[in-house]
Amino acid sequence: VAYDMLSWHAEAALDWTKAVECSRPQHQLQMRFDRFMSRMRTAEWREGIAEVDELAKLATSDKFHYYRFAYAYSIAAGLEAEDRPQVKESYAKRSVEFLRQALEHGFKGAADAERLRQDPEFNRLRDREDFKILMEELEKSPASEKAAE
């Protein structure tokens, strides 16, 4: 965590790998989330995306898992080379798909809409029609019962 706070993300990713290897299975999911978030800020971002795809298969009904996956894909859309527009588009589309899954798992209401609206990592998606539709749906949705608890 300290390495990430210092923006030493490559070192953080290495430490997260050690932590995953040494931890109990019930703690590994969270540590793998932290590792992919560190990787997304390094030259290893493609490995981070590969890990997102693996983690998506293990995801629970936690709305924030899907939000984090969307976050990673949005970052990837910004990192992909300009001469690969189809790949950039596929990453952006996947990000919106993960946001839709977050909605399906309880990411709803004004507070969650504000969170998404304020998150700068999603700026590159804001002009997309599918993102605009998703935002309209989110803003109109009542807060989830989980959020109210």
Side-chain angles (χ1 to χ4, degrees):
V1 175
Y3 282 140
D4 278 323
M5 292 175 70
L6 294 168
S7 296
W8 296 358
H9 303 295
E11 292 84 353
L14 291 173
D15 274 2
W16 286 122
T17 296
K18 291 175 191 171
V20 168
E21 292 167 356
C22 295
S23 66
R24 294 184 173 147
Q26 66 266 31
H27 301 293
Q28 288 181 354
L29 185 62
Q30 182 59 47
M31 291 181 200
R32 289 180 70 191
F33 272 123
D34 293 327
R35 178 174 60 189
F36 93 68
M37 293 302 283
S38 295
R39 283 179 168 166
M40 292 308 297
R41 292 171 174 80
T42 71
E44 293 183 357
W45 66 269
R46 284 188 175 87
E47 288 86 351
I49 284 296
E51 188 149 30
V52 168
D53 291 334
E54 288 178 35
L55 291 172
K57 296 173 188 170
L58 305 173
T60 65
S61 60
D62 186 331
K63 65 185 180 180
F64 292 113
H65 288 180
Y66 297 99
Y67 184 88
R68 286 175 137 185
F69 299 153
Y71 182 93
Y73 266 93
S74 182
I75 291 171
L79 293 173
E80 187 56 67
E82 292 298 324
D83 64 348
R84 298 185 64 190
Q86 292 172 326
V87 177
K88 287 178 87 66
E89 169 60 21
S90 71
Y91 288 159
K93 181 178 178 183
R94 189 74 172 124
S95 180
V96 175
E97 289 170 356
F98 276 126
L99 286 172
R100 179 140 318 274
Q101 288 182 285
L103 264 70
E104 292 169 6
H105 288 90
F107 192 80
K108 299 177 187 219
D112 286 340
E114 186 63 20
R115 168 190 219 108
L116 186 53
R117 191 179 301 107
Q118 296 298 321
D119 195 327
E121 292 301 344
F122 292 102
N123 286 348
R124 68 188 52 83
L125 302 179
R126 297 196 194 288
D127 291 335
R128 295 177 58 87
E129 193 60 33
D130 54 355
F131 185 84
K132 290 176 186 178
I133 292 168
L134 183 134
M135 282 302 296
E136 287 176 21
E137 291 173 19
L138 178 58
E139 289 166 350
K140 291 176 184 176
S141 66
S144 69
E145 291 178 18
K146 288 181 183 177
E149 294 176 355

